[in-house]
Amino acid sequence: MKLGKKVDVIRKGLGVFVTGIIGAAPGGVDNTTGLDKTLSGARSLYTQENGIWSDIVNTKTTKPNVYQGYRVFVRGDRNINLYQVPQATIMNRAVTLRASWQNYYRLCYLHN
């Protein structure tokens, strides 16, 4: 299994954007790295090893390691447009991350 995200049909509440490459609107997924494009190219997925957080720069070749920590910035599910002004009603949706055939995390969000 790789960290890449195969998305044939985008379903509400399933998956998140993994950003990290600059691209013009309307964005999309970079074919080489598997990262979602944004205007800023800001990274959203990191791994931790020996107390140091590092950017994940390619979701097609990076394999998950159950012995490492991961941090992901969740901007809602994959149904939003990263090139529009964020709206609280769509940015606060709960999302489900899946690895192959099974659910392994259910993300919840906290807000004031």
Side-chain angles (χ1 to χ4, degrees), residues 45-56 65-72:
L45 181 61
Y46 305 86
T47 185
Q48 185 184 55
E49 189 171 2
N50 297 323
I52 299 170
W53 289 103
S54 302
D55 299 348
I56 291 186
N65 180 343
V66 297
Y67 300 106
Q68 288 182 318
Y70 291 91
R71 177 179 71 193
V72 63

Side-chain angles (χ1 to χ4, degrees), residues 8-68:
D8 295 324
V9 177
I10 297 174
R11 291 181 286 180
K12 184 177 178 181
L14 183 62
V16 296
F17 287 103
V18 178
T19 60
I21 195 162
I22 294 174
V29 177
D30 180 69
N31 291 330
T32 304
T33 64
L35 296 171
D36 291 298
K37 299 175 186 176
T38 63
L39 288 175
S40 70
R43 303 242 187 253
S44 67
L45 181 61
Y46 305 86
T47 185
Q48 185 184 55
E49 189 171 2
N50 297 323
I52 299 170
W53 289 103
S54 302
D55 299 348
I56 291 186
V57 297
N58 190 316
T59 62
K60 290 187 170 192
T61 59
T62 304
K63 294 182 180 178
N65 180 343
V66 297
Y67 300 106
Q68 288 182 318

Side-chain angles (χ1 to χ4, degrees), residues 96-108:
T96 299
L97 301 180
R98 292 191 314 184
S100 298
W101 66 93
Q102 67 187 103
N103 291 335
Y104 67 102
Y105 288 108
R106 180 87 176 154
L107 295 181
C108 299

